[in-house]
Amino acid sequence: MNKNIFLLLLSQLFAFSLFPRIHDDAFAVNQRADLQDFLALQRLETKFDRLSLAEGLSQVVVTCILQDSRGFMWFGTVDGLNKFDGYTFTLLRNDSRDANSLSHNFIQAICEDHEGILWIGTFQGGLNRYDPITEQFQRYRHDPHDPASLSNDIVNAIYEDHEGNIWVGTNSGLDRFNRQTGSFQHFRHDDWNTNSLSNNRVRAILQHPGGCLWIGTHGGGLDCFNCQTGRWTHYQHQPSNPHSLSSNSVNTLYLSGDSLLWIGTDDNGLDQLQLRATSQARFKHFKQSAYRTNSLSNNIINCIYEDKNGYLWIGTANGGLDVFDPGTERFVHFRHQEGDYKTISSNNICSIYEDRSGILWIGTFRGGISKLNRAKIQFAHYFPSHDDPGGLNRHFIHALYEDDLGVIWVGTFGAGLIGYDRRRDQYNEYRHVPKDPNSISHNRVRTILRDRSGQFWIGTDGGGLNKFDRLTGRFKRFMHDPQNVNSIRHNGIRGLYEDREGFLWIGTFGGGLDRFDPRTETFTHFSTNPDNPFSISSNYVRAVVEDDSGYYWIGTEGGGLNKFDPATQQFYHFRADADDSSSLSNDYIFSIYRDQEGILWIGTWGGGLNRFDPRTLSFTVFTEAAGLADNVVYGILEDEQGCLWMSTNKGISKFNPATSTFTNYTVEDGLQSLEFNAGAFHKSKSGELFFGGVNGFNAFYPQKIEQNRHVPPVVITSFSKFNQ
């Protein structure tokens, strides 16, 4: 444990706080859905679980974490060692009457050796060897009268090298433990010998595959010890050399592969050393910057951990938890938010560990354990923030579209149209301005379409249709004019579709179906006529799809499914019939998707998913009884494997037509909410799927969504016979 945590503990004796409130970023961030573009900001809404005193943890300052070879989690605190089996904590503490108990309750380091033995370093209690079979501790303490004893009872770091040697970092130098004799060989700083340890306060130890032992010291910088030759190489801060180590106070070390050494300092940020470089060592520095939101959050680094995806998780003393992508060299931040129990429990991070199932465990100062199950949180969540006036400042999303430049166009229910450039993390807002005829006609945007010529069309709820020039930011309005029969029939728009001839089909909410010719800017109307059985069945139109034969399929609210024959100008109706199991399940239709086989998939409001074969004119219905998450299906998209993804009122459902099976996802998987919205779904050219709802929208690549295949080991911790 480094001196920051120790000083923070001492600070509790005084009536002041060392922890200023850090404001949250505009977005909470978790793991990316697209592994190729970290900064495209597929930000995941990260939801941490917490384990603290109420769950059985002995103390809320968690200094070190380890998963042993049997699968148990071990947490070192300032008041005992905690063993966690996934359900309950078992506390191991010092017992003054038992010489085989833990020597001291202030734990600073844990290490498991190749034999399954745990080595525990304490503050003022020396080193402990713990045998999990016998559950006995063996103590190693400093003895001033024994030169072969532990050099100091303050143990900061423990490491087992490739040959099975145990190395111990203390406040009096580096020790190598001889298992056969039980003695310690000491490596100390010698002012008169440059070939010695640079400083006796050893904070971190690790070994390069080539054999070099890297030692981080507090005050002497970074050392490399060649165990074969006994040669020491020192790396220290040189004010005149910008490529030298940034600070001589090193708190933590992490080796990425066999080529990158990461150094966390006590006061000057994060350093990177390329170990394969043939020239003189050059350290690359990453520091906090007031001018860059994607810089390191704090220059005091307590711990570093690289996850299975190659991201660095960095624990700072006051800046919370950072995630760093070496490819883009950008940081994203997780910070504690008062009152929100799904944020990280403290901005002071003491320890980080990823277990074999991919769960991240974060030990904090005064916040206990924060647990992040990233295997479940797989959907990028873009959501509004009250602190960011440039963000998505309306929760309700009703339309989504990604253009060729990677800009996501978002239709909101009250904030107009927003263009979000993920690569630049920038927003452009387009709102209705009453005195500006070139502004968008209404702030409720229901649908977005980009036609084959690249022209954007925006359908609003009350402002009719808008032609949008993204280069000038100007809108041309097409609104209902009672004096003009060629104007749009109704200003409430629910659906837009471009057919093969370039006509736009507009579904209105009360005015029926309109066909719009962009060349002449005229509208042709199709509305319900009680005297004509071949008119459209309802004036509330949600969805339009054209098939290969040139027929149009129209989904309505209350009028079921319509087939329109442009040659005869007649509509044919398919309605729900309670006495016919092969009929449509519900007359309220939200969406229609036509797959490569020509099958229509129909999402209804209360009738689930319908499969319709235009050749047989029969419907097959899939509801909650078949495994669908909810019988309200808003949007339907198909992935590259032929599976359908649907937004509902109870999350997202994935449907495999080949097996007729569903897989359902909820807010625990990272969804913006269980409730989604009609019209808010889109598939980009790259195959990324977007679904919007009442709390922002989700973005994900279907092939990245995986089931957790980790099978935890089964360990018998106790048994009883006749309640004994």
Side-chain angles (χ1 to χ4, degrees):
M1 188 174 86
N2 61 55
K3 78 177 182 70
N4 299 304
I5 299 170
F6 177 62
L7 291 176
L8 289 171
L9 286 166
L10 293 181
S11 72
Q12 302 308 295
L13 300 176
F14 302 92
F16 61 86
S17 174
L18 297 180
F19 309 102
R21 170 75 181 275
I22 304 294
H23 294 293
D24 287 348
D25 280 353
F27 286 85
V29 186
N30 191 317
Q31 140 203 23
R32 64 186 176 186
D34 177 10
L35 296 178
Q36 298 177 348
D37 198 354
F38 180 76
L39 257 199
L41 212 58
Q42 294 193 341
R43 299 185 175 190
L44 307 181
E45 183 187 8
T46 304
K47 297 179 179 179
F48 293 88
D49 293 318
R50 300 183 184 182
L51 298 174
S52 192
L53 303 179
E55 289 73 35
L57 186 67
S58 65
Q59 217 273 346
V60 292
V61 178
V62 180
T63 57
C64 48
I65 306 173
L66 171 79
Q67 183 180 35
D68 67 21
S69 54
R70 298 189 299 164
F72 292 105
M73 298 298 302
W74 295 85
F75 301 95
T77 74
V78 299
D79 187 23
L81 180 64
N82 292 251
K83 174 184 175 183
F84 184 59
D85 63 8
Y87 300 95
T88 58
F89 286 93
T90 301
L91 176 60
L92 305 177
R93 273 197 179 115
N94 171 257
D95 183 347
S96 59
R97 298 165 298 179
D98 184 0
N100 292 319
S101 67
L102 185 65
S103 64
H104 199 279
N105 288 332
F106 196 139
I107 311 299
Q108 297 205 115
I110 310 174
C111 173
E112 183 184 29
D113 67 20
H114 66 282
E115 296 177 347
I117 299 298
L118 294 186
W119 298 85
I120 299 99
T122 70
F123 178 76
Q124 296 184 340
L127 178 69
N128 290 252
R129 178 188 184 275
Y130 177 72
D131 187 334
I133 304 301
T134 64
E135 298 185 345
Q136 298 291 306
F137 288 89
Q138 183 178 354
R139 303 172 181 178
Y140 299 91
R141 304 289 299 269
H142 171 64
D143 183 352
H145 305 292
D146 182 2
S149 68
L150 186 68
S151 61
N152 193 297
D153 280 340
I154 298 177
V155 175
N156 304 310
I158 309 171
Y159 186 83
E160 182 185 32
D161 68 18
H162 303 155
E163 297 179 353
N165 296 308
I166 299 295
W167 295 84
V168 185
T170 76
N171 269 11
S172 296
L174 178 68
D175 288 4
R176 177 164 58 188
F177 178 63
N178 188 317
R179 295 174 186 263
Q180 283 70 39
T181 64
S183 62
F184 294 84
Q185 180 184 2
H186 308 302
F187 300 86
R188 295 191 174 101
H189 171 68
D190 184 348
D191 289 335
W192 304 100
N193 183 4
T194 57
N195 190 42
S196 68
L197 182 67
S198 62
N199 189 286
N200 284 333
R201 289 176 293 175
V202 175
R203 294 289 184 262
I205 310 167
L206 60 79
Q207 187 178 27
H208 186 270
C212 173
L213 205 65
W214 291 93
I215 313 296
T217 74
H218 195 76
L222 177 67
D223 287 358
C224 179
F225 178 57
N226 190 319
C227 302
Q228 302 297 323
T229 65
R231 191 72 184 172
W232 291 84
T233 304
H234 307 302
Y235 302 88
Q236 296 179 331
H237 175 63
Q238 303 168 21
S240 61
N241 182 3
H243 302 296
S244 67
L245 185 69
S246 65
S247 171
N248 287 333
S249 295
V250 175
N251 283 337
T252 185
L253 299 173
Y254 194 90
L255 185 64
S256 178
D258 60 357
S259 61
L260 282 181
L261 181 65
W262 296 93
I263 304 102
T265 72
D266 187 55
D267 53 7
N268 216 8
L270 178 71
D271 281 10
Q272 179 198 84
L273 178 61
Q274 180 67 251
L275 299 180
R276 289 182 176 176
T278 56
S279 60
Q280 186 178 4
R282 294 166 63 92
F283 290 83
K284 189 172 185 177
H285 311 303
F286 301 90
K287 300 179 182 180
Q288 183 185 28
S289 170
Y291 306 102
R292 292 183 60 228
T293 58
N294 292 312
S295 68
L296 185 67
S297 65
N298 190 280
N299 285 332
I300 303 175
I301 310 297
N302 288 332
C303 48
I304 304 170
Y305 196 94
E306 183 181 34
D307 68 17
K308 297 173 183 177
N309 295 324
Y311 300 140
L312 289 185
W313 295 75
I314 300 161
T316 73
N318 289 298
L321 179 67
D322 280 8
V323 183
F324 176 70
D325 179 16
T328 61
E329 297 190 349
R330 303 287 185 99
F331 296 82
V332 290
H333 315 299
F334 301 92
R335 293 193 175 110
H336 171 69
Q337 182 176 339
E338 199 68 35
D340 187 347
Y341 290 95
K342 286 300 181 179
T343 61
I344 197 162
S345 57
S346 170
N347 283 330
N348 294 272
I349 312 300
C350 304
S351 49
I352 305 170
Y353 192 91
E354 182 182 30
D355 69 20
R356 288 187 282 278
S357 70
I359 294 175
L360 275 176
W361 303 82
I362 297 97
T364 72
F365 183 85
R366 297 194 310 175
I369 300 163
S370 285
K371 174 185 171 185
L372 177 60
N373 189 347
R374 293 171 303 148
K376 295 193 68 177
I377 304 175
Q378 304 184 80
F379 296 85
H381 179 193
Y382 299 81
F383 57 101
S385 168
H386 298 294
D387 297 332
D388 181 16
L392 298 179
N393 50 3
R394 288 295 183 271
H395 293 258
F396 279 71
I397 308 301
H398 280 285
L400 292 162
Y401 183 84
E402 185 188 43
D403 67 21
D404 292 339
L405 299 178
V407 176
I408 303 173
W409 296 92
V410 184
T412 71
F413 193 72
L417 177 69
I418 297 176
Y420 175 46
D421 188 332
R422 286 191 286 182
R423 292 187 179 275
R424 294 182 175 87
D425 195 17
Q426 293 179 350
Y427 297 85
N428 286 315
E429 297 185 3
Y430 303 88
R431 297 199 186 197
H432 173 65
V433 179
K435 295 183 180 181
D436 182 2
N438 296 313
S439 67
I440 194 168
S441 62
H442 203 284
N443 283 331
R444 292 182 180 178
V445 175
R446 283 286 190 170
T447 183
I448 303 169
L449 182 141
R450 183 171 180 261
D451 67 24
R452 64 191 65 184
S453 69
Q455 179 63 57
F456 276 87
W457 300 90
I458 313 299
T460 70
D461 189 9
L465 180 68
N466 289 247
K467 181 180 180 181
F468 174 52
D469 187 337
R470 61 168 299 176
L471 296 180
T472 64
R474 296 163 69 92
F475 295 81
K476 182 177 181 179
R477 304 172 182 176
F478 298 88
M479 301 180 67
H480 176 63
D481 181 358
Q483 306 302 318
N484 182 3
V485 295
N486 289 320
S487 69
I488 195 169
R489 188 64 175 268
H490 197 279
N491 286 332
I493 296 177
R494 292 296 186 270
L496 288 176
Y497 180 82
E498 183 186 23
D499 67 18
R500 66 185 68 178
E501 296 180 4
F503 291 105
L504 298 187
W505 293 82
I506 304 165
T508 73
F509 199 65
L513 178 68
D514 275 10
R515 188 184 73 173
F516 176 66
D517 188 340
R519 296 170 288 266
T520 62
E521 295 187 345
T522 58
F523 295 83
T524 303
H525 311 302
F526 303 92
S527 58
T528 300
N529 181 355
D531 298 325
N532 181 6
F534 295 104
S535 67
I536 194 168
S537 62
S538 171
N539 284 333
Y540 295 86
V541 178
R542 281 281 187 180
V544 181
V545 171
E546 182 183 15
D547 66 21
D548 291 338
S549 301
Y551 296 115
Y552 296 86
W553 298 90
I554 298 100
T556 72
E557 285 198 31
L561 179 68
N562 286 241
K563 176 185 176 182
F564 175 64
D565 185 344
T568 63
Q569 297 285 291
Q570 292 183 335
F571 291 84
Y572 301 90
H573 310 151
F574 299 86
R575 306 291 293 267
D577 183 350
D579 297 324
D580 183 359
S581 61
S582 65
S583 70
L584 181 69
S585 64
N586 194 292
D587 283 338
Y588 286 80
I589 294 175
F590 278 139
S591 57
I592 304 173
Y593 180 80
R594 183 174 178 271
D595 67 20
Q596 296 179 354
E597 303 297 325
I599 299 299
L600 298 183
W601 297 91
I602 301 165
T604 72
W605 189 16
L609 175 69
N610 286 241
R611 178 189 185 275
F612 177 66
D613 189 338
R615 293 161 295 190
T616 63
L617 302 181
S618 62
F619 294 83
T620 303
V621 180
F622 301 90
T623 63
E624 293 178 18
L628 180 65
D630 185 64
N631 286 335
V632 175
V633 177
Y634 290 120
I636 307 171
L637 297 172
E638 185 179 15
D639 65 22
E640 303 305 317
Q641 285 69 46
C643 292
L644 302 180
W645 295 78
M646 290 159 283
S647 55
T648 77
N649 268 344
K650 291 182 181 177
I652 288 178
S653 278
K654 174 187 176 182
F655 177 66
N656 187 336
T659 60
S660 296
T661 56
F662 291 89
T663 304
N664 299 319
Y665 301 90
T666 70
V667 291
E668 295 300 321
D669 300 297
L671 298 186
Q672 52 83 36
S673 169
L674 285 178
E675 183 177 349
F676 286 80
N677 281 331
F681 56 98
H682 171 69
K683 180 179 180 180
S684 72
K685 289 184 178 180
S686 66
E688 189 176 15
L689 304 188
F690 299 83
F691 289 100
V694 299
N695 188 31
F697 66 93
N698 291 112
F700 62 97
Y701 286 90
Q703 65 270 26
K704 304 294 184 185
I705 306 300
E706 299 179 351
Q707 300 298 311
N708 186 1
R709 295 182 174 86
H710 175 74
V711 180
V714 177
V715 179
I716 298 176
T717 57
S718 64
F719 68 92
S720 61
K721 183 178 181 180
F722 302 117
N723 296 323
Q724 298 295 319

